[in-house]
Each structure stands twice: as C-alpha cells, then as structure tokens.
DNA sequence: GTCTATATATTGATAGAC
DNA sequence: GTCTATCAATATATAGAC
C-alpha cells in the first residue's frame, strides 16, 4: 500500500504553487518548478502531462476541498434551524477562512480565472457556478422568509458580496501595502465578518431594528 | 512636427493589450505581439526596451489618464459645495466608467498587480496609494461632517468598496458567464451605481431616514 | 516511478545595413 | 525608425534505459 498522494507529485505541486503565486503561471517554466521541487524535470510531464496539468490539478483539489467545508443550505420548512442570515455569515466565514488558509492557491486561481482557456471555462461552469448558486440560494430563501431587505437588487448584492470576498485574496499585495492588513490572519477574518454582520444588520427587515 | 505618439508604438501597445488580456503577460511573446501588430519584432525592443516596458507604458498611461478624470476632493469649509456622499458617488461612477471604457487594460493591470515585481511595487506605492487616498479622504471628511455612519470600520469600508469596484473589471469573465451581465455596458455602470447609492443610503446618519 | 539524453521549437535581445 | 539576420538561452516534450 503506497501513499495516497505520491511524494514527488506533492512536491511538484508545492513548488508550482510558490512559483505561480509570485511570478504567474505563464512566466514559470517546468524546469523552474522541477528545480524548486528538487525533482527531475521529466517527472512533471509524467505526473501532470504538462504545465497546465499542474494548474488543473491545483484548481480541482482546491474547489473539491472547499465544497467539503461549505455546509449545504438548509432549506427545510420548520423551526429551530439556523436563520438564513446566520447561514450566510457562516458560509462567508468558511470561504474567507479557506482562502486565508490557502492564500497562494486562492490568488493563483483568481488570477488565472481572468485568462481565457478551456480549463478556465470548465472551472467556471462547474465550481464557480456551484459557488454562486450556494450564495444565491441563501440570499433568495432569506428574502422569501423576510429576513433580508427585498428592495435591493439580488444579483448586484451577489456581485458585490463576491467582490468583497475575493478581492483581498486576489490581491493580497494591495491589502498589505495599501491597507496594512494581512488577509491571511485570523484577525482579518474576524474583522471582516464583523464588518459584514454590521453592514447587513442595517439591511435586515424592520423588526431587527 | 511628428505625431505625438508614434504609429508603430501605438499599434504595438494595441496588440499587446489584446494579447495580454486573453492569455496573460507571461504567456505572451514579443514576436507574437509584433506579428499581431504587423510590425517587425525588433521594433518592440527599440520602442519599449523589452516586454515589461510595454506593460510599464500601459500602466502609467492608464493611471495618468484616470487621475485626469477623477475630480479632486473639495474639502473647503463652506456651503453650496457638493456633499461628500455625492462626491463619493461621482468618483465611483468615474472610476467604474473609466474601467468600463478600458476593460482590457483594467483586467491586465489588476491581474498583473497580483504578481511580485519592482514595477508592481512602484505602481502600488504611487498610483494605487493615490487612489486609496482619494476615497479615504472622501469617506473621512464625510464622517467628520456627519454625512456617514461613524460606527463602521473605515478601512474595512474602503476595502469592501474597492473590492466591489475592481472585481467586475478584474474578472469580467465571471460577470459574463456567471451573472450574465456585461460590465462594459453603460447599463451595468448605472445599475451598480444605483445599487451603491441605495446601500449607502441606509448607512447615512439618522436624519436621512 | 525515476532517470539521462536529446530533439525540436521558441524565447528575448542585439548588431549592423538601410 | 525600420529592417534582416542571427545568437545564445531557454522552452516543452519524449524516447528509452534502469
């Protein structure tokens, strides 16, 4: 019985992550990755077929693990279950925490999602669509239940919400050098969730005031 | 008297923009740019020194023109001048409009700002810092004047605001394929500004209710 | 699974003629 | 400013031994 993930394969991925993160996918060569991982460069082709194969593996692994952590939305009818507001905050917290724990991969993926390729389109139509659906469901059922303000454009709320969640992990350098915050730290996560709770507190329906 | 910007130089930039946008800076070669621009590849080195030189030219040109359009904040003491809230909305509208008019370059810059290089650090410490200062001033003076809710974390508001503004232009593909909106269109701009006005309307101090 | 060796193509960049 | 010609470096990818 061998290790579930090959040691060489793991070290290639690890090296690729650190290189892609600082200099970008396109500016990184297979040889560079192999050297950093201290493995023979031919092994990259063996394990991943080509450079894009590493990125593909990285993206799938990232999203599969993410969806393991995201609790499915409880839409069930009756009492005692969590409010949509609470579920929303929990989901945001999970997503932010996950991005913080995987800063480099998060940044790589968000960056590479802005280029045009077959791989990107596939990730977009599967994982990103699933992620959007998750938050859309929360927002919509929350509105049906009267938990949220129905006056606001739902799609715009989603866009604004996603922007707010992704941006700090898409451009951590901006966070660090411009705002002097470390998006990787638990403090940031807590601060951000606190901020969101407060902002949305204002948007809850009247009886919340 | 010759043209202020060399024709060849302009066509190289134009070609580089379309290539960088779809396949990324690192995955684009000088030859590819030259071929697309239908100019000799040696001219790229002549006009821009190297590939990074094109990106540098692109960034400087982009930000210089942006700051031409952004109205300086009027902090002056007395009446009759615009409210900070209105100035904020105006600035956001300008920035969003500018990004929409320069979709490809906006996406390229936001993407490349997430890699680590000397150029990026310089752009960050000059232009991005200036942009942050612009919005920070608006928010802070607005709070001093009692136009905004002072309970909210200012820095977090800035971060969230920037995220919301940049994200759609950083990842236009997500907007198109996930939300079915075209961030380049004037409709989107209007819709987004309308949304923001409404959201912040809730956060204005009490006498606004 | 890992290595050596290598084929083949592409890269960025420049020297020098026009 | 523009071109041709070219170099040296580096790229990806594979065949075949171990």
């Amino acid at each position: 019985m061998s290790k579930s993930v090959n040691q060489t394969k793991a070290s290639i991925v690890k090296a690729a992550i650190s290189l892609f993160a600082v200099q970008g996918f396109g500016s990184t060569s297979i040889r560079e990755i192999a050297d950093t991982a201290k493995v023979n460069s031919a092994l990259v082709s063996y394990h991943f077929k080509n450079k894009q194969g590493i990125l593909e593996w990285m993206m799938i692994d990232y999203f599969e693990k993410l969806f393991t952590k995201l609790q499915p939305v409880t839409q069930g009818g009756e009492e005692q279950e969590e409010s949509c507001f609470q579920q929303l905050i929990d989901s945001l917290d999970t997503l932010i925490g996950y991005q913080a724990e995987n800063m480099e991969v998060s940044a790589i993926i968000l960056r590479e999602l802005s280029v045009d390729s077959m791989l990107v389109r596939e990730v977009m139509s599967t994982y990103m669509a699933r992620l959007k659906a998750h938050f859309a469901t929360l927002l919509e059922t929350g509105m049906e239940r009267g938990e949220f303000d129905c006056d606001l454009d739902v799609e715009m709320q989603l866009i604004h919400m996603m922007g707010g969640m992704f941006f700090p992990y898409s451009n951590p350098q901006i966070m660090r050098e411009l705002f002097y915050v470390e998006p990787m730290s638990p403090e940031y996560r807590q601060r951000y969730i606190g901020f969101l709770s407060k902002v949305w507190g204002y948007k809850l329906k009247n009886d919340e005031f």
Side-chain angles (χ1 to χ4, degrees), chain A residues 2-208:
Chain A
S2 62
K3 295 192 210 72
S4 61
V5 177
N6 183 293
Q7 167 65 35
T8 302
K9 201 170 172 179
S11 63
I12 290 173
V13 172
K14 191 180 168 193
I17 289 174
S18 63
L19 288 168
F20 290 169
V22 302
Q23 59 193 24
F25 174 80
S27 302
T28 303
S29 71
I30 289 180
R31 273 186 160 72
E32 219 173 345
I33 296 168
D35 290 349
T36 305
K38 296 195 179 73
V39 303
N40 191 289
S41 68
L43 290 173
V44 174
S45 301
Y46 175 78
H47 285 289
F48 297 96
K49 168 91 178 164
N50 52 33
K51 196 171 72 170
Q52 166 128 326
I54 308 178
L55 186 61
E56 187 172 341
W57 192 95
M58 214 179 272
M59 289 184 167
I60 293 176
D61 181 66
Y62 179 88
F63 282 110
E64 290 296 341
K65 283 180 182 156
L66 168 61
F67 286 112
T68 296
K69 306 208 172 192
L70 266 187
Q71 298 298 324
V73 184
T74 62
Q75 299 205 61
E78 293 313 304
E79 289 305 322
Q80 176 261 28
E81 66 189 18
E82 275 189 318
S83 69
C84 284
F85 178 75
Q86 190 53 49
Q87 285 187 65
L88 183 58
I89 293 293
D90 288 346
S91 290
L92 291 173
D93 189 48
T94 300
L95 180 53
I96 288 177
Y98 187 74
Q99 289 186 106
E101 285 164 17
N102 302 277
M103 277 290 290
E104 291 183 309
V105 184
S106 299
I108 292 165
I109 291 179
L110 287 166
R111 184 199 294 141
E112 294 308 324
L113 277 186
S114 74
V115 307
D116 194 30
S117 71
M118 197 72 88
L119 170 59
V120 165
R121 266 190 291 273
E122 279 166 15
V123 168
M124 205 77 93
S125 63
T126 56
Y127 299 117
M128 291 300 288
R130 206 165 135 196
L131 196 59
K132 181 205 166 184
H134 179 89
F135 287 102
T137 305
L138 279 176
L139 226 52
E140 282 157 9
T141 57
M143 282 187 167
E144 283 170 21
R145 295 190 190 173
E147 283 186 45
F148 299 126
D149 181 359
C150 291
D151 279 0
L152 287 167
D153 188 334
V154 193
E155 287 279 294
M156 272 297 160
Q157 270 191 282
L158 270 175
I159 291 172
H160 202 239
M161 189 188 297
M162 290 218 160
M165 278 187 304
F166 289 142
F167 183 68
Y169 301 94
S170 163
N171 289 72
Q173 304 215 64
I174 294 185
M175 293 300 109
R176 297 192 186 106
E177 292 174 35
L178 238 61
F179 295 101
Y180 311 110
V181 297
E182 174 52 62
M184 224 173 73
S185 69
E187 289 77 27
Y188 177 79
R189 176 181 178 178
Q190 193 181 345
R191 190 175 165 199
Y192 192 61
I193 292 297
F195 171 74
L196 286 184
S197 303
K198 208 163 185 177
V199 170
W200 278 321
Y202 286 86
K203 286 193 259 163
L204 290 174
K205 71 169 196 177
N206 299 338
D207 52 56
E208 291 287 331

